Amino acid sequence: MSLFSCSPRSIIFLGCASRPSKFIMACLYSNNSKINTHITSYEIKDKIALYKITVQVGEVCWSLSHRYSDFVELNDKLVKDHSLNKDLLPPKKVLRNLDPTFLEKRKTDLEIYLQNVVNFLEKSLPRCLIDFLHLVKYDINILLQDFASFCFNEGDKYLSMGNSTHAFNPLQLYAITNRLKQECPAEESLHQEHDFCHILEFCNNLRTLIIQGSPSHIGTSNITYNQLSYELAMFKKLCKLFLYNVDINNVTNLGTLRNELEKLTVCKSSNIKSPCDILLCDQVHKTINPDLIWTQLTQLDLSANEITHLDEAMSLVPHLEELNLESNQIKTISNLKSLTKLKRLNLNRNRIQDLSHFKSELNSESIVELNLCENLITNLNGLDGMENLQSLDLGSNFISDLSEISNISCLDQLTNINLTGNPIATIIDYRIKILQLFFKRANQIILDSEKPTSKEIDCTNILNALLVNVQFSD
């Protein structure tokens, strides 16, 4: 569950299109940026004129739309609470208020009004103006003040209820990261609940972190999620980390979690070509070093990336028990021999053809579950040494020869087999012929998610008895 969905208002964080050292983000307090506003056009919807407003702070710009009544509401609040001249707003017109000539003039007049209001109140920035201009979605300190208030008022209660799993997007983490580099804004020192320390304390107590990235633009702005850099050093007690569709090159200080994480998931990241890109993502030279071992990691999910090969970085996860490499571009496995505790290996949806190297590159004695579904496999040579294998998924490959089953029928612990989607599955009496190859163990085999029927067991027993008689006669 995302923390920010629980706050009083929707909290979104935003930066700019470049890296932090190269741009000024939307932060009025630290950048002393001017708020530039323009009304660029209008459109009529359901007989109501909507005025399109563009807002720019530094390099960040976004757009929004307001009807005339929104301006009236804003003006009333500013007149009442901030001594704004009530006659500054263009007057309302009852008749012919959708006339193009009138709307063009009103657009110009409203732009002048808005610019005057911003110039007059830019230093104090009343909340009604912040909301009107959607600054709440883009200014780092305004956003973090809301988050700090939530942490101060509800954070302890939220965590005490067992809610230690929270989802963030790169915007939110970018805002926290950049706030760490700033001086304390005056607003924070005046209000205890806005203290940034409340955010840091909350993050420090999280156990599971989910980061959901995206290559798309953020709202109507000129910024995309995956252009924003952020660090993870503020999360000091994490056990599980999930990174979905993020640019791993923009994540810093991931290495600080090497002695904490028990589970790491990195999915749909286009710039991960090998495990090294994630396990050594904070190392410039990508050099294997015993000091860089992930000491607690037992589950690693690198599915749905663009991994082409398994490099020596796999030696940095010696305690791994589960490895998910589904939906990559792997043609052959390598560098898995050191994973002596590996029990479950998922290689579904890759480009594997040859299994003969499994004996030399995989600790075959530890594997109990192996998924090779949707590859390019034609023969099973190389699986015969996996003596502790219990479950094997070979669905949707190109196995056509019954004799290949002899490579796995010798595995005494194997009980669960999937061969659906292979040419072999189209052979007449396919199930009986497969089960027959397991001899006395035929009744223990779950083939294609189905236990053998009593009729199938009877048929395999008769066929095996006949086979024994033939061999005896010879």
Side-chain angles (χ1 to χ4, degrees), residues 20-38:
S21 59
K22 298 181 180 179
F23 70 87
I24 299 174
M25 64 175 291
C27 181
L28 298 172
Y29 292 108
S30 63
N31 297 329
N32 295 317
S33 300
K34 289 289 184 179
I35 303 175
N36 296 308
T37 60
H38 298 281

Side-chain angles (χ1 to χ4, degrees), residues 91-106:
K92 182 178 180 179
K93 183 177 180 180
V94 178
L95 300 177
R96 297 178 59 84
N97 59 1
L98 296 181
D99 177 73
T101 302
F102 168 76
L103 291 177
E104 279 293 334
K105 184 177 185 306
R106 170 168 280 180

Side-chain angles (χ1 to χ4, degrees), residues 311-446:
D311 52 33
E312 294 180 354
M314 293 305 303
S315 64
L316 298 175
V317 286
H319 305 295
L320 215 58
E321 297 178 7
E322 297 183 19
L323 177 58
N324 186 359
L325 296 166
E326 179 179 346
S327 299
N328 280 288
Q329 301 176 28
I330 301 170
K331 293 183 179 180
T332 181
I333 67 163
S334 57
N335 294 300
L336 297 183
K337 194 74 173 179
S338 62
L339 304 184
T340 58
K341 299 181 181 180
L342 187 62
K343 296 180 180 179
R344 285 170 283 278
L345 176 60
N346 187 352
L347 290 163
N348 180 22
R349 295 182 182 176
N350 277 280
R351 300 180 180 181
I352 298 173
Q353 291 180 285
D354 183 14
L355 302 179
S356 60
H357 55 283
F358 271 44
K359 291 182 180 179
S360 60
E361 298 293 341
L362 183 67
N363 192 306
S364 55
E365 295 181 358
S366 65
I367 302 295
V368 298
E369 184 178 318
L370 178 60
N371 189 337
L372 291 166
C373 185
E374 295 187 48
N375 277 279
L376 306 171
I377 299 169
T378 58
N379 70 80
L380 303 182
N381 179 31
L383 297 182
D384 50 308
M386 306 188 73
E387 56 189 46
N388 290 311
L389 188 64
Q390 299 174 12
S391 178
L392 176 62
D393 192 342
L394 291 163
S396 300
N397 277 286
F398 297 90
I399 304 166
S400 59
D401 193 340
L402 276 171
S403 64
E404 293 298 329
I405 304 303
S406 63
N407 288 293
I408 59 174
S409 62
C410 60
L411 303 177
D412 293 339
Q413 302 299 317
L414 185 61
T415 57
N416 198 326
I417 309 166
N418 178 32
L419 291 166
T420 57
N422 283 277
I424 196 174
T426 63
I427 297 175
I428 297 175
D429 293 330
Y430 143 78
R431 284 183 58 85
I432 293 175
K433 291 178 179 178
I434 295 292
L435 292 170
Q436 179 190 353
L437 297 175
F438 286 85
F439 297 96
K440 294 181 180 181
R441 293 187 58 242
N443 63 343
Q444 302 173 19
I445 302 300
I446 300 175

Side-chain angles (χ1 to χ4, degrees), residues 25-26 42 61 63 77 88 98 119 127 171 178 202 269 278 343 376-377 387 432 441 457 464:
M25 64 175 291
Y42 67 85
C61 60
S63 63
K77 293 178 180 178
L88 196 61
L98 296 181
N119 289 334
R127 189 68 196 206
L171 298 151
N178 278 272
F202 189 92
S269 179
I278 180 66
K343 296 180 180 179
L376 306 171
I377 299 169
E387 56 189 46
I432 293 175
R441 293 187 58 242
I457 294 298
N464 284 326

